[in-house]
Amino acid sequence: MPPWVIIPGALDERIGITVTEQSADRVAAWMPVAGNTQSLGRLHGGATAALAEAVGSWAAMIYASTLGKVCVGVDLNITHHRGAREGRIFAVATPAHRGRRVATYDVAIRDDADRTIATARITNLVVDPD
């Protein structure tokens, strides 16, 4: 298996993330709202942040693998623009910066009606695999 194939972790599986596209230039995935809500029945911001971190980190890991490296997250910033009560949300990570030591990805999160739910930016440190 190539080092860049995304293998979802336990949290990713628990919240229902499904990867639909994967490359160093773009990782796309979706997640159901059902099962990821807070006490008021709305999409939980933490679940949205977990989706954003997952796609951004996966993209950074694919990029790092092209350098013979791995990456670790050092910063996640997310702004929640609107809520969701049903359906799915879709996340797409694209590069903002890719260097020898840092990879930063912008993440756009939209709902089934193509409305912006959240925007995020994740920065990963590119490190040796040891």
Side-chain angles (χ1 to χ4, degrees):
M1 172 176 352
W4 51 265
V5 172
I6 294 171
I7 300 171
L11 177 61
D12 308 317
E13 291 175 355
R14 183 172 291 134
I15 63 177
I17 296 174
T18 299
V19 178
T20 58
E21 187 177 339
Q22 55 183 320
S23 74
D25 295 322
R26 181 180 164 97
V27 170
W30 62 269
M31 177 185 81
V33 173
N36 293 307
T37 57
Q38 35 87 310
S39 58
L40 298 175
R42 298 170 195 246
L43 176 63
H44 195 291
T48 308
L51 174 63
E53 182 156 358
V55 297
S57 290
W58 287 330
M61 186 64 78
I62 295 167
Y63 167 70
S65 74
T66 68
L67 305 173
K69 307 274 187 173
V70 296
C71 67
V72 293
V74 294
D75 184 68
L76 174 67
N77 175 283
I78 185 165
T79 302
H80 303 280
H81 301 288
R82 72 180 322 121
R85 291 185 180 270
E86 61 187 14
R88 299 181 295 177
I89 59 170
F90 302 84
V92 175
T94 55
H97 169 79
R98 293 184 296 196
R100 291 184 306 134
R101 299 192 179 181
V102 171
T104 301
Y105 281 78
D106 291 323
V107 182
I109 301 172
R110 305 184 74 76
D111 66 10
D112 282 319
D114 202 32
R115 296 175 297 200
T116 299
I117 295 294
T119 52
R121 176 170 278 188
I122 181 166
T123 299
N124 284 267
L125 188 62
V126 178
V127 299
D128 290 326
D130 299 319

